[in-house]
Amino acid sequence: MRRGLLSIGSVLFTVVGHAAFAQEGGTLDVTSPQPLVGVSRELNEKYGWVINFEDAPVSSPKFTVKVMDGRGRPMVTGKPSRISVRAEQFARLDDDGRRKLLQSVVNQANAAGSPVHYSYSMTGDIVRIFPKEVLSDQDGTWRNFTPLLDTLICIPQGRYQIWRVMQLVLAEVERLRGVRISIGTVQPNLAAKEVVEGAIDEPAGLILDRAFDSVNRPLLKEGLERLVFSSELNYWTDSGTFFYNMDVTKRIYPPNPQVDPQPAVPAAGGRFSGK
């Protein structure tokens, strides 16, 4: 298993494809082996959305092709498909408009012949796009799929750098789900920050989100901007490996910087403390 800070973003865009869009509105059009990644990134980076994306493994030859990567080397990737959505103002859609756009996005992905069916959830401004079904190679039936970051895990209570929390959490998901996961892109200055963390039978994604959000407590106490994070768990068919990427999507200035934010409440059965 490979570990380390691997900056794969530029390679991923070479393989994934390109997007065409207007500054405020128009058509967002992505054609690639995984257009959901391109759509999520463009909405996050250009229009201030917060979308967390998670993939499922695709390895069947029926759904893969051999291509050349950005360095002229052969690799195996998913067959390309297209997602196209239109809006007058992507950055200013109300909740109903955002839900309609997201539903269109996942409907197009699911109708494109992929062996994975996706769904989405929206909690406040936070969007999650995740796999819900995968097509069985054995009998051709659709089977329910539990997203990897929904896997319930335990990590011992302790003080860790966020980088170490990521390692512990993803290693447990690897062990329990029989997959390979490497850490992809993450901001080094954030990864080095310390947090007190521990969990018993909590979803892996919740633990990671909590660790990242812990950096906001000292920022808010000082009246600084709140950081909002987004993540990707991408599957690379060529290596049979998932890559976990995390980035700061946007910054929100706190309405009342003098108020000390209350710590999050752990899920039932879990325990943690954060600073």
Side-chain angles (χ1 to χ4, degrees):
M1 180 179 63
R2 291 174 292 170
R3 295 281 188 191
L5 289 171
L6 306 175
S7 181
I8 64 173
S10 58
V11 177
L12 184 61
F13 265 109
T14 300
V15 176
V16 166
H18 65 278
F21 58 91
Q23 288 298 315
E24 284 295 328
T27 300
L28 176 57
D29 193 287
V30 178
T31 300
S32 79
Q34 182 42 284
L36 286 172
V37 173
V39 169
S40 298
R41 286 188 173 187
E42 293 301 321
L43 289 173
N44 283 350
E45 296 171 7
K46 303 297 183 182
Y47 303 110
W49 290 47
V50 184
I51 301 177
N52 298 310
F53 172 76
E54 183 174 339
D55 214 344
V58 176
S59 56
S60 171
K62 297 179 182 178
F63 303 102
T64 59
V65 293
K66 289 185 178 180
V67 299
M68 305 301 287
D69 68 12
R71 299 180 180 180
R73 299 173 301 189
M75 66 178 298
V76 178
T77 186
K79 292 182 178 179
S81 59
R82 179 188 179 195
I83 293 177
S84 181
V85 290
R86 183 173 180 81
E88 292 185 3
Q89 291 185 324
F90 287 108
R92 301 183 182 180
L93 290 174
D94 60 17
D95 284 352
D96 287 340
R98 287 158 61 88
R99 289 191 180 94
K100 289 178 181 178
L101 186 144
L102 290 165
Q103 193 62 60
S104 175
V105 165
V106 297
N107 285 348
Q108 290 179 63
N110 293 342
S114 167
V116 183
H117 281 167
Y118 296 88
S119 187
Y120 82 92
S121 63
M122 192 169 79
T123 304
D125 289 337
I126 309 299
V127 175
R128 185 187 183 201
I129 297 177
F130 56 92
K132 65 175 183 178
E133 294 178 320
V134 295
L135 188 64
S136 169
D137 286 340
Q138 284 73 34
D139 56 17
T141 60
W142 288 96
R143 298 181 179 178
N144 292 335
F145 182 84
T146 300
L148 295 182
L149 296 182
D150 283 353
T151 305
L152 300 180
I153 69 166
C154 302
I155 62 172
Q157 186 86 5
R159 178 177 290 275
Y160 308 102
Q161 289 184 325
I162 290 179
W163 167 251
R164 181 56 178 160
V165 175
M166 296 170 68
Q167 287 183 315
L168 290 172
V169 168
L170 297 177
E172 275 297 281
V173 175
E174 284 187 314
R175 183 181 68 84
L176 293 170
R177 299 294 295 272
V179 297
R180 290 191 295 174
I181 306 175
S182 287
I183 297 175
T185 53
V186 59
Q187 294 191 3
N189 60 336
L190 174 64
K193 293 187 180 297
E194 289 191 341
V195 58
V196 176
E197 184 62 81
I200 298 176
D201 293 333
E202 289 192 76
L206 175 64
I207 302 168
L208 292 170
D209 290 345
R210 189 168 65 221
F212 298 145
D213 191 59
S214 67
V215 305
N216 279 313
R217 290 180 59 77
L219 295 178
L220 295 178
K221 285 181 178 180
E222 297 177 14
L224 301 177
E225 295 172 321
R226 182 184 190 91
L227 303 180
V228 181
F229 305 95
S230 63
S231 64
E232 298 172 353
L233 187 63
N234 299 317
Y235 183 71
W236 278 49
T237 305
D238 192 58
S239 62
T241 303
F242 286 89
F243 287 89
Y244 182 82
N245 306 314
M246 184 279 299
D247 198 8
V248 176
T249 298
K250 61 181 179 180
R251 292 168 169 81
I252 301 175
Y253 194 82
N256 186 355
Q258 301 304 316
V259 177
D260 183 16
Q262 296 299 309
V265 177
R271 65 183 185 189
F272 77 97
S273 61
K275 291 186 178 180

